[in-house]
Amino acid sequence: MVDHEVDTAAGTAVVDTDGFDRRGALGGPAGGVLARVRAGAGELTGALRRVAEHVLSDPEAAARATIVELAERSGTSPATITRFCRAMGFEGYADLRLGIAAETGRARSAGWTIDIGREIQPSDPLRRVLDQIIAADTRAMHDTAALLDLAEVERAAVAIAGASRVNIFGASGSALVGEEMQFMLHRIGVAAWAWNDVHEGLASAALLRAGDVALGVSHSGQTRETIEMLAEAGSRGATTVAVTGFPRSPLAELADIVLLTASQATTFRPDALSARHPQLVVLDLLYIAVAQRTHDRAHAAFRRTAQAVDGHKAAKGTTP
């Protein structure tokens, strides 16, 4: 049965799509259609979210369906489908269908034969487990490349290259990603610190000033500690950068620069864990962009740091 929602206080909660940036999904840059839907689904509500979930569950069927058929299958209305198209950055349903059809066609031609969503059974061989992981991570990398705004990466790189101090904030698994970034920046002579304890992080953030950079890592963008530390840094005048999978999350909303990542959630790995590799790819890109903009200093620093640890490497031909 098709429902006919009215966007009123008494009706079904539906996100106001008029506020969305037409460049792409929910304010992000234009990219793969399914990546946009996947990135924005968690922020939609009510009928719009049902449409997103239906499209993600069977993209090929959605690409073949008429607007009436898609409305019936998702339990919504044609008007809701039209609002959903606008939310995803398309002028109408025809454009959405063509985008999905093109993307699913490319996936088939590229050999996407593995059903990523199928739960891995205890008896599955390790070869299939490995294939599942590789397929999920590869898709997440491609989705991240589609979502990432390189102009924002450029802005972040310029800010870090000119900063006297860089603070990196994260919690749990995101803290590990932040520590990796801190290590890479230190190797090229950038004064960077990674903080995962909120008390120490807040104290360090309070000492930042204009010209410094604070980078917060959180896939959900909802981690309270990371939000607090980045907000404190911003209040002191530091340039704030968020690495997150959700462009309308609290972390993204308070940041000056937002770097979006995608994930390929599966039944055997939670969404936050599946976001780790895309986060590392984005930060690796940012690190290289900083090194390019500080080439002479970075090259000299990397040479010195490499020489400093060279004596601790096992000599060739010796047994460790």
Side-chain angles (χ1 to χ4, degrees):
M1 178 179 178
V2 180
D3 59 18
H4 300 275
E5 301 89 343
V6 177
D7 299 340
T8 65
T12 303
V14 178
V15 171
D16 177 11
T17 61
D18 291 335
F20 291 135
D21 190 325
R22 295 305 187 268
R23 291 177 302 158
L26 307 175
V33 178
L34 298 179
R36 295 191 221 175
V37 176
R38 193 175 295 111
E43 299 168 25
L44 299 175
T45 57
L48 292 183
R49 181 160 186 167
R50 293 203 298 275
V51 176
E53 291 172 346
H54 183 78
V55 168
L56 291 174
S57 69
D58 194 348
E60 293 188 21
R64 294 191 301 268
T66 66
I67 189 170
V68 174
E69 289 171 340
L70 184 59
E72 291 177 346
R73 293 170 187 175
S74 59
T76 61
S77 68
T80 299
I81 303 299
T82 299
R83 291 197 299 274
F84 174 78
C85 293
R86 291 172 57 201
M88 294 299 108
F90 292 94
E91 292 185 2
Y93 183 57
D95 291 334
L96 176 67
R97 285 182 65 188
L98 288 173
I100 296 174
E103 191 163 328
T104 54
R106 286 194 301 268
R108 284 196 303 272
S109 64
W112 290 99
T113 57
I114 298 174
D115 178 11
I116 295 174
R118 191 180 77 83
E119 184 177 1
I120 291 180
Q121 301 298 319
S123 59
D124 283 345
L126 285 179
R127 169 52 61 183
R128 185 180 184 284
V129 174
L130 176 60
D131 288 344
Q132 289 270 15
I133 293 172
I134 294 297
D137 283 348
T138 301
R139 182 58 180 271
M141 302 290 189
H142 284 293
D143 286 352
T144 294
L147 288 171
L148 191 61
D149 187 340
L150 295 180
E152 291 290 271
V153 177
E154 172 79 22
R155 287 181 61 205
V158 169
I160 292 174
S164 58
R165 181 184 181 95
V166 178
N167 271 9
I168 304 170
F169 306 120
S172 188
S174 293
L176 300 177
V177 174
E179 289 171 3
E180 179 71 15
M181 183 62 171
Q182 183 265 342
F183 171 74
M184 292 191 294
L185 290 176
H186 254 309
R187 290 293 299 269
I188 60 172
V190 176
W193 286 262
W195 305 97
N196 58 26
D197 179 88
V198 66
H199 292 269
E200 294 176 353
L202 285 172
S204 181
L207 298 177
L208 296 180
R209 55 190 177 182
D212 294 331
V213 174
L215 189 153
V217 184
S218 170
H219 172 62
S220 68
Q222 302 280 351
T223 305
R224 179 181 299 176
E225 293 84 354
T226 304
I227 294 169
E228 290 178 356
M229 291 185 285
L230 198 69
E232 177 65 27
S235 73
R236 302 296 174 173
T239 299
T240 53
V241 182
V243 178
T244 181
F246 296 90
R248 291 297 179 106
S249 63
L251 187 71
E253 292 286 358
L254 67 85
D256 299 312
I257 301 170
V258 179
L259 306 182
L260 289 177
T261 62
S263 65
Q264 187 70 23
T266 67
T267 53
F268 60 89
R269 190 165 53 168
D271 196 43
L273 182 58
S274 67
R276 294 290 174 262
H277 289 162
Q279 287 173 342
L280 287 169
V281 167
V282 169
L283 291 178
D284 197 24
L285 175 63
L286 179 58
Y287 154 73
I288 293 173
V290 172
Q292 288 177 320
R293 284 149 187 79
T294 58
H295 179 268
D296 292 342
R297 183 184 76 186
H299 180 71
F302 190 79
R303 185 175 63 250
R304 291 197 299 271
T305 55
Q307 289 173 346
V309 301
D310 190 60
H312 289 270
K313 295 179 180 178
K316 291 183 179 180
T318 62
T319 302

